[in-house]
Amino acid sequence: DIQMTQSPSSLSASVGDRVIITCRASQGISNYLAWFQQKPGKAPKSLIYGASNLQSGVPSKFSGSGSGTDFTLTISSLQPEDFATYYCQQYHSYPRTFGGGTKVEIK
Amino acid sequence: QVQLVESGGGVVQPGRSLRLSCAASGFTFSSFAMHWVRQAPGKGLEWVAVISYDGSNKYYADSVKGRFTISRDNSKNTLYLQMNSLRPEDTAVYYCEGNPYWGQGTLVTVSS
């Protein structure tokens, strides 16, 4: 199985900060990488697919990059509605696997 | 608008069975591969199973293989998860997902 490792597991940031979350795959997955946002008590929301493609309706402050084993999710200017937990997921092969999550909290 | 509505969750004793349903509307359900993803209380997301758009291919996480069965009825726009031999570690919110759509989840609690 492909292991997905996210870092950091949590971070504190202020409104307006630029935030970068990283995700590393245990083997190459090309660009078969998705990012999800989850707020407490809510279902996950799809943000990015194909490592860098924004889902419809997702604001451009979110961006993704990477290929192979190393990926990043960047939030260019953190807003109050962005405080949430973010997950990466590989869909290169089954079983699909998620990273452990990154909780973005208010500083 | 797009809706995925899960049902069938509840409290069940270890070793018993439960069947979850996910009713889809607002998109062409029969064209989408569909997944079940679960989240134990306070934990991260765990992928459970997938079924192809026509039901011909299915894959499972090792943790549920041989106990859970995913199926679909495209005439009813509904996805199912038959869960047998339930264990306390199966306790979680179960989400159905058809990229990029997610349901709101249904809670399954396995406890004596």
Side-chain angles (χ1 to χ4, degrees):
Chain A
D1 298 0
I2 298 173
Q3 307 305 315
M4 305 300 294
T5 304
Q6 275 183 248
S7 61
S9 56
S10 65
L11 65 89
S12 295
S14 300
V15 172
D17 283 354
R18 182 170 178 254
V19 168
I20 299 174
I21 299 168
T22 66
C23 180
R24 174 165 288 176
S26 60
Q27 63 190 75
I29 59 170
S30 185
N31 66 337
Y32 293 100
L33 191 282
W35 289 98
F36 300 88
Q37 176 194 64
Q38 188 180 34
K39 297 181 179 179
K42 299 294 186 182
K45 174 186 175 183
S46 179
L47 295 178
I48 286 172
Y49 65 97
S52 61
N53 301 291
L54 260 60
Q55 289 284 3
S56 176
V58 174
S60 58
K61 62 182 171 181
F62 292 97
S63 63
S65 65
S67 184
T69 60
D70 293 307
F71 302 86
T72 61
L73 172 70
T74 300
I75 309 172
S76 60
S77 177
L78 203 63
Q79 296 302 305
E81 63 270 20
D82 303 327
F83 292 94
T85 300
Y86 294 85
Y87 295 91
C88 62
Q89 184 207 45
Q90 66 81 19
Y91 56 98
H92 175 272
S93 58
Y94 291 113
R96 292 192 178 186
T97 43
F98 288 92
T102 297
K103 187 173 184 179
V104 177
E105 299 176 300
I106 301 172
K107 183 182 283 185
Chain B
Q1 83 273 23
V2 171
Q3 277 198 305
L4 290 170
V5 180
E6 300 94 337
S7 60
V11 181
V12 61
Q13 292 180 327
R16 304 298 290 265
S17 299
L18 208 57
R19 188 176 84 155
L20 305 183
S21 299
C22 171
S25 60
F27 67 105
T28 309
F29 177 76
S30 58
S31 297
F32 281 68
M34 295 296 297
H35 303 256
W36 287 100
V37 175
R38 68 184 180 183
Q39 187 169 37
K43 302 297 184 182
L45 300 171
E46 180 188 15
W47 177 83
V48 173
V50 62
I51 186 168
S52 60
Y53 71 99
D54 61 355
S56 61
N57 290 292
K58 305 173 186 180
Y59 297 93
Y60 298 91
D62 286 345
S63 57
V64 307
K65 201 174 295 182
R67 300 187 299 124
F68 289 12
T69 301
I70 190 171
S71 62
R72 67 191 298 160
D73 185 338
N74 285 344
S75 68
K76 295 181 178 179
N77 286 350
T78 303
L79 175 73
Y80 302 101
L81 186 67
Q82 177 67 43
M83 304 186 294
N84 298 332
S85 304
L86 282 161
R87 305 168 179 168
E89 55 265 36
D90 295 320
T91 295
V93 174
Y94 285 74
Y95 297 100
C96 64
E97 182 240 333
N99 182 46
Y101 312 119
W102 289 72
Q104 84 290 347
T106 187
L107 176 61
V108 173
T109 302
V110 184
S111 173
S112 54

